[in-house]
Every structure is written in structure tokens, then in C-alpha cells.
Amino acid sequence: MAEWVKYRVDLRLVGRLTQIPDSQKIFGALMYRYAEYTSGDKTAAFVAAVKESSYGFMLSNLMPKGYLPMPQTYVLSRLMSTLKEPDKSFYKLLKKRLFAPIERMEQIVSRPGNLPDPYIEVEQTQQIHAAIDSKRYNFPALDPNLYSVPEVVVREVTASTDEKKPEARARFIQDFSFYIGLEKRSEHDIMIEMLHHAKTSGRAFVLGARSSQGLNTFEIVGIHEETHKSSVGEGFYLNLGMLLLRNIDFSKSSLKLFTSERRPFSSKLGWDESMKGRFISFIESGSVVYVNHTIETAGGCVPSPFHQKEIVFGRAYLYPLAGLEAVK
């Protein structure tokens, strides 16, 4: 069995967010920096090794620092398996809790009726922006072009005994983390060196569009080797990223699917309308999976249907869970 090393990479948000970046977005940003730090050929070889599963590598979505995705599907399945179907108020409170504190996770999965406090909620908003076309085209008569940009607000909520009361407190989140697992070989050393270089270089770590407008930009503030349960073998895991399944036990897992359409996008032409109808489904973050053998065999990648050298990344970071029961 391969030796793995796991890390938590801490980032600080600079500006605002249009969406919380997933493991595919982070993988793309890492490969861009990897190519800068090494070469295009070495990066292509790394991507090929990840695609072919000849190198152990896994990556999470971005999450608020100190939090993990709430296993909502598992909680509901456990409660319903005991014939205690939750009422509408419980479901509403559970749905708000997208992330739960790491130190509460073992209690959540062992006693799923207890909802965590504090917790993280995410609000979808729209921000109005103005494009000053009169300056761009040197034509003073043009009016500003107004448009809206979708954004998300990530808040930590500390609830009172009655969450309907106004004294429930909220704090806006600027500190985030993602997890990375690497097989301990030469690729591991290069990746960690590259991350430390990215931290000290002072350059923004871009995880989305509109970075020139101050959106989706971060700075790396810390790289920490993880000491949490080091299991990589058979057992229950909390999925932290976008997972393309290869070898798990469906009968013991509690899964939530995310399906997306894959189409090429051009900044000039927009979405390619000739490429409609290509869909792919992932196991969403927060799902509980039972790994049959090792984490190396649980997830996988597939070739991009549009670019021969690119892949659809699906080797999500799996966080070990202790004391978990399979839902009957």
C-alpha cells in the first residue's frame, strides 16, 4: 500500500466570491502554477499519471477554515432508518448548515439528530456593476452599461437557543482551506515546493473568473501537514470534493449526485452551442462513501471530451470517519 501525506492549505480571500471553488477549479489552478514552476512537459506527465491512477493524488473543494461539509444525506438517512422522520423545521435547519465544525463531525455522524452550532451558511446574491463604455471607446455620449454579477456570501452563524430570535450572530468568512493528499514520491516534493513558492511569491492565487475586478482571488497563508486519522484503507469517508466513483460500496454509502453539462467556453464567443447534451455526474461534497479497498481506487478521472490533453478531475479528498454505521 502506498504511503500518503496529507496537507491543509490555508487561504485568505481578497475581495469577494462569485462561487465557492470546487476541487476541479483548484486542480486547474494548481496545474497552472505547477507548469510555471516546472515545465509544460512535466505538468502533462503529472496530469497523465493522475488520470491513469499511477500516482496517488486527491484534492478537496475550498471550505471555510476549521469546517467540513455537513453530511446532510447521511443524517437524513440515519434518522429515517430509525423511523424518526424529521419534521419540516428540522429539515429547514439542516439545509441551512452547509458546513460544520471539524471537532463536531464525529458527534454529528454518531448522533445525527443533534445539529451543530456554530455552522456555516452560504447566501446567493447579485452585485450591480457598471461598464464605462464611454471611456473604453472614447465616446463621451455613451451611457454606463449596467450588469449584475452573481456572488456568494459565506457566513459563520452562532445561534441562540431559539434560532428565530434576532440575537443569532453571524460573522463573514475570509479564511478558507483546501486539503490535498499526495503519494510520497518525487511528485510530492515538487508539489509542496511549488505551494511554498506560491505562498512566498506574493502573487494572487486565482480561483475563478473576474479576478481583474477583484473577484475570486486569494493569498496562500499557510501549508500544514495534517495529523488527522491517517486511514487510507477500507472504511467510511466523508467526501470533500467532486468525486467520480470507481470502487465503493453503494449499499453502505449515503450519496448525493451533482450533474453538470460539459461545454467549451470562450471569453469572446461564450458557450459553444454546438456541444449541447454532454452531461457528467459527480458525487457531491458532504456525501459519505464506503471505500472497498483503498482511497487510491475510490475515485478517478476521465478524458475531456473537448481537449485531448485535458482531464475531468474526479479524485476527491476523502476524510476518514470513525465510529460510523452503515444505513440499513
Side-chain angles (χ1 to χ4, degrees), residues 54-109:
S54 59
Y55 178 66
F57 180 87
M58 59 184 184
L59 192 62
S60 78
N61 295 351
L62 195 69
M63 295 167 287
K65 184 179 177 182
Y67 282 81
L68 294 175
M70 183 73 182
Q72 295 177 341
T73 303
Y74 176 82
V75 168
L76 288 173
S77 299
R78 276 287 306 279
L79 290 176
M80 294 181 72
S81 71
T82 59
L83 302 179
K84 296 179 181 178
E85 185 170 351
D87 57 27
K88 289 184 179 179
S89 62
F90 180 89
Y91 180 78
K92 184 178 179 181
L93 295 176
L94 174 64
K95 192 175 180 181
K96 288 175 63 176
R97 289 161 163 78
L98 295 186
F99 299 91
I102 293 174
E103 63 271 14
R104 291 290 306 278
M105 193 54 61
E106 192 168 325
Q107 181 183 358
I108 290 168
V109 297

Side-chain angles (χ1 to χ4, degrees), residues 178-196:
F178 68 85
Y179 292 90
I180 182 170
L182 301 151
E183 191 178 340
K184 196 164 177 57
R185 285 171 24 193
S186 59
E187 293 91 342
H188 159 273
D189 298 339
I190 297 173
M191 179 65 70
I192 299 306
E193 287 172 7
M194 181 274 291
L195 285 170
H196 280 288

Side-chain angles (χ1 to χ4, degrees), residues 155-292:
R155 287 190 290 258
E156 180 187 65
V157 178
T158 304
S160 64
T161 53
D162 181 354
E163 294 193 5
K164 295 179 182 178
K165 291 183 179 179
E167 56 263 33
R169 302 186 304 279
R171 176 177 69 90
F172 292 104
I173 295 296
Q174 287 185 294
D175 293 315
F176 293 83
S177 302
F178 68 85
Y179 292 90
I180 182 170
L182 301 151
E183 191 178 340
K184 196 164 177 57
R185 285 171 24 193
S186 59
E187 293 91 342
H188 159 273
D189 298 339
I190 297 173
M191 179 65 70
I192 299 306
E193 287 172 7
M194 181 274 291
L195 285 170
H196 280 288
H197 180 266
K199 175 179 178 290
T200 57
S201 69
R203 285 177 54 200
F205 193 72
V206 178
L207 290 174
R210 302 183 183 274
S211 60
S212 62
Q213 300 174 19
L215 296 169
N216 304 312
T217 58
F218 298 81
E219 56 178 346
I220 297 176
V221 296
I223 302 156
H224 309 278
E225 185 171 342
E226 276 295 293
T227 58
H228 64 244
K229 310 171 189 88
S230 59
S231 171
V232 295
E234 181 179 357
F236 285 103
Y237 293 83
L238 180 65
N239 177 38
L240 303 190
M242 306 297 285
L243 182 66
L244 288 174
L245 291 182
R246 287 174 59 213
N247 191 1
I248 71 163
D249 189 327
F250 287 90
S251 66
K252 296 180 180 178
S253 302
S254 297
L255 307 177
K256 183 179 180 182
L257 286 179
F258 174 84
T259 300
S260 66
E261 186 177 15
R262 318 299 291 189
R263 274 193 287 163
F265 180 81
S266 165
S267 57
K268 292 183 179 180
L269 302 176
W271 296 105
D272 189 335
E273 294 297 324
S274 67
M275 293 285 188
K276 284 186 176 181
R278 296 172 182 259
F279 294 88
I280 188 169
S281 293
F282 299 87
I283 301 302
E284 244 189 65
S285 171
S287 296
V288 173
V289 301
Y290 188 90
V291 173
N292 284 323

